[in-house]
Amino acid sequence: MACLRKYYRLRANSILESVIALCIIAICLYVAILVYAAVFTPKTSAKFYSTRNKLSEIYFMAQVNPDSIEKMGNDHLLIHQEWINSNLQQINIEYKDSTGVTSKNNFYVQN
């Protein structure tokens, strides 16, 4: 019986060490979740960058062939040109992707 008591007795140090270890693990998990949430935002997704590249592609195509910009407009793409003054033109491009997310970009062209 004396041997059984020796094996079932828990020391306070082992419980305290376990609680401290669980706190450290919880803090590390919290920091990892914060980093994960900061990295994977909608502005860092691949879809965001592909949409931004599509807007830049449309803008540069308009630079190469300015007359084709009116022909590019459809229900997913809205292009609005506006002259700010005699030398500066503003081009607003709105692109709606297949998920319905609208991305808008303004470009300025100096003649």
Side-chain angles (χ1 to χ4, degrees), residues 31-51:
V31 169
I33 289 173
L34 283 178
V35 169
Y36 182 80
V39 169
F40 291 108
T41 62
K43 291 203 173 212
T44 59
S45 68
K47 188 153 212 52
F48 174 77
Y49 288 117
S50 68
T51 304

Side-chain angles (χ1 to χ4, degrees), residues 52-63 72 107:
R52 294 287 297 220
N53 288 338
K54 180 73 173 172
L55 289 172
S56 296
E57 177 188 351
I58 292 168
Y59 169 70
F60 290 121
M61 288 300 292
Q63 290 296 312
M72 294 174 126
F107 297 102

Side-chain angles (χ1 to χ4, degrees), residues 54-55 58 72-79 93-103:
K54 180 73 173 172
L55 289 172
I58 292 168
M72 294 174 126
N74 58 18
D75 46 333
H76 295 293
L77 183 67
L78 296 172
I79 301 170
I93 301 175
E94 275 189 48
Y95 180 72
K96 186 186 292 186
D97 60 0
S98 60
T99 60
V101 176
T102 303
S103 182

Side-chain angles (χ1 to χ4, degrees), residues 4-52:
L4 290 177
R5 287 185 189 169
K6 182 175 144 185
Y7 290 116
Y8 285 113
R9 201 179 318 163
L10 291 175
R11 295 184 177 218
N13 289 341
S14 65
I15 293 174
L16 183 63
E17 288 172 359
S18 298
V19 170
I20 291 172
L22 285 173
C23 289
I24 292 172
I25 291 170
I27 290 170
C28 291
L29 184 63
Y30 177 72
V31 169
I33 289 173
L34 283 178
V35 169
Y36 182 80
V39 169
F40 291 108
T41 62
K43 291 203 173 212
T44 59
S45 68
K47 188 153 212 52
F48 174 77
Y49 288 117
S50 68
T51 304
R52 294 287 297 220

